[in-house]
Amino acid sequence: MEESLNVTIDPACLQEPPLAGDMLKHLDTFGLCLYAMLTFMSSVSLLLYLEQCVYIYKKVSYPKKTTIIWVSGAAPVIATMACFGMWIPRAVMITDMASNCYFAVVVYKVLILLLQELGGSSAFLERFSGTPFKISTGPCCCCCVCLPQVPMSRGMLFLLKIGALQYAILKTVLSVLSVILWTNGYFDLSDLEITGTAIWINPFVGVLTITSLWPVAIVFMNTNSFLRSLNIIAKYAMYQLILVLSQLQTSIINILALDGTIACAPPLSSQARGSMLSQQMMIMEMFIISLVNRFLYHRAYDALPSETHDNNLNGKMADWQTALVEHDV
């Protein structure tokens, strides 16, 4: 009886993901070409981002340059982590944690970027202090059109910053806690019992996500008309697209895998195969977004104050030398 049971069990439907070496053994020619192409895409995304970091560092003043580097790095970082998760299936939990923690910081940095493009917090308050801000925006209150407009103030701006910052802090803490519980077998996405930890942590993270996106949307919806010349709408659209693809798309695929809609295939179980499909799709999508972001952020910036001073000084020196030569003549 035991022998017949051992024979009928399909090893592909085991819950534990395979090792990286086992994955390579089961890849055919098409699989190897697909993995090579996706690895090339993630590598190109990372290299373009590194080149862009050098460009931004030279052309943009502090602190705006660090904010731009953070925001524009969301797509290549997610693509790189997805590539590691594709090659090492058992590390998906850790790679997803790294991607999610990075994007949690990006949500806050997008808010800071909007403020810095308007001259910083002080200039923002001088310009919009007392101006009514519409707060009936997504994702929390897009249907609540009856909400009154709130005048902008220093306290209001502080609440907006705290609303975006809390996600960066709490998401990182909960992600680290989830990995610690996962290594001890206490965190399992397939465990939907009321006693499971995933059923409590994931909805709480969802609430934190919605709460952090609302302040960013409020500032953007009320100030985007002043920043159209900086392609702020396209930049914000790329940020929203990364959010949907990295969070909503991954969640839908995981649900389909848990439901059994995504069938197991040797050597991957249903859950591992769903995670693999998510990583592969993420690499292709983030590669395209990285190319678009390079076009948006790799542009001509105003000269730095030191460069402007040097140019003016060089111009004055040239005029002085010309006048001296004419005087000598």
Side-chain angles (χ1 to χ4, degrees):
M1 186 66 178
E2 293 181 357
E3 293 181 357
S4 62
L5 288 176
N6 292 333
V7 172
T8 56
I9 291 176
D10 189 353
C13 294
L14 297 176
Q15 292 298 317
E16 188 175 8
L19 296 172
D22 297 334
M23 279 293 302
L24 289 175
K25 294 178 182 178
H26 286 81
L27 288 178
D28 54 6
T29 304
F30 174 78
L32 289 174
C33 293
L34 177 63
Y35 272 51
M37 181 184 67
L38 294 176
T39 304
F40 175 76
M41 286 183 176
S42 62
S43 301
V44 170
S45 300
L46 185 59
L47 291 176
L48 289 177
Y49 172 63
L50 294 177
E51 186 272 336
Q52 180 178 309
C53 288
V54 175
Y55 178 83
I56 296 297
Y57 187 83
K58 293 180 178 179
K59 298 295 183 178
V60 184
S61 60
Y62 181 85
K64 186 189 294 188
K65 62 182 174 184
T66 58
T67 307
I68 294 176
I69 289 173
W70 267 100
V71 174
S72 62
V77 168
I78 294 175
T80 303
M81 291 297 103
C83 184
F84 283 120
M86 179 185 67
W87 283 102
I88 310 174
R90 292 192 180 184
V92 167
M93 186 71 181
I94 299 176
T95 57
D96 285 348
M97 181 203 73
S99 300
N100 292 333
C101 291
Y102 186 94
F103 188 77
V105 179
V106 168
V107 173
Y108 174 71
K109 290 295 184 179
V110 169
L111 175 61
I112 299 301
L113 179 62
L114 292 172
L115 297 178
Q116 290 176 349
E117 293 290 7
L118 291 167
S121 299
S122 300
F124 176 83
L125 289 174
E126 291 179 2
R127 187 172 187 176
F128 296 100
S129 181
T131 303
F133 267 46
K134 180 182 178 181
I135 62 173
S136 56
T137 61
C140 290
C141 304
C142 54
C143 298
C144 303
V145 294
C146 58
L147 287 177
Q149 296 185 353
V150 179
M152 179 54 59
S153 62
R154 186 173 300 275
M156 179 65 175
L157 181 59
F158 177 76
L159 291 177
L160 293 175
K161 288 183 178 180
I162 289 296
L165 182 61
Q166 53 84 21
Y167 180 58
I169 298 174
L170 296 179
K171 173 63 176 178
T172 303
V173 173
L174 292 175
S175 296
V176 173
L177 178 62
S178 299
V179 171
I180 294 174
L181 295 174
W182 170 71
T183 56
N184 288 274
Y186 296 123
F187 186 89
D188 187 4
L189 293 176
S190 60
D191 183 11
L192 302 179
E193 298 293 333
I194 194 66
T195 56
T197 56
I199 199 67
W200 291 98
I201 293 179
N202 289 340
F204 184 62
V205 171
V207 173
L208 294 178
T209 304
I210 295 175
T211 306
S212 67
L213 297 177
W214 191 28
V216 183
I218 290 175
V219 175
F220 172 77
M221 294 301 294
N222 289 274
T223 61
N224 68 82
S225 59
F226 301 96
L227 302 173
R228 292 183 182 272
S229 60
L230 301 178
N231 291 326
I232 197 63
I233 296 179
K235 295 176 182 177
Y236 189 80
M238 290 299 103
Y239 148 76
Q240 290 283 325
L241 185 59
I242 295 174
L243 170 68
V244 172
L245 295 176
S246 63
Q247 305 296 323
L248 184 59
Q249 174 184 271
T250 303
S251 300
I252 293 175
I253 294 177
N254 289 335
I255 292 173
L256 294 176
L258 292 174
D259 188 55
T261 304
I262 300 178
C264 59
L268 299 171
S269 64
S270 298
Q271 190 172 350
R273 189 182 178 206
S275 178
M276 183 64 62
L277 292 174
S278 176
Q279 307 298 321
Q280 293 174 350
M281 294 173 60
M282 199 74 66
I283 293 174
M284 292 184 288
E285 294 160 352
M286 294 301 122
F287 172 73
I288 297 175
I289 294 177
S290 297
L291 297 179
V292 177
N293 277 343
R294 188 180 188 278
F295 170 77
L296 294 175
Y297 291 99
H298 200 285
R299 61 178 180 82
Y301 291 91
D302 295 334
L304 298 179
S306 59
E307 294 181 359
T308 305
H309 176 73
D310 292 341
N311 293 334
N312 294 335
L313 183 61
N314 292 334
K316 292 180 179 179
M317 288 294 293
D319 295 340
W320 179 75
Q321 291 177 356
T322 303
L324 182 62
V325 170
E326 292 176 353
H327 177 72
D328 293 340
V329 173

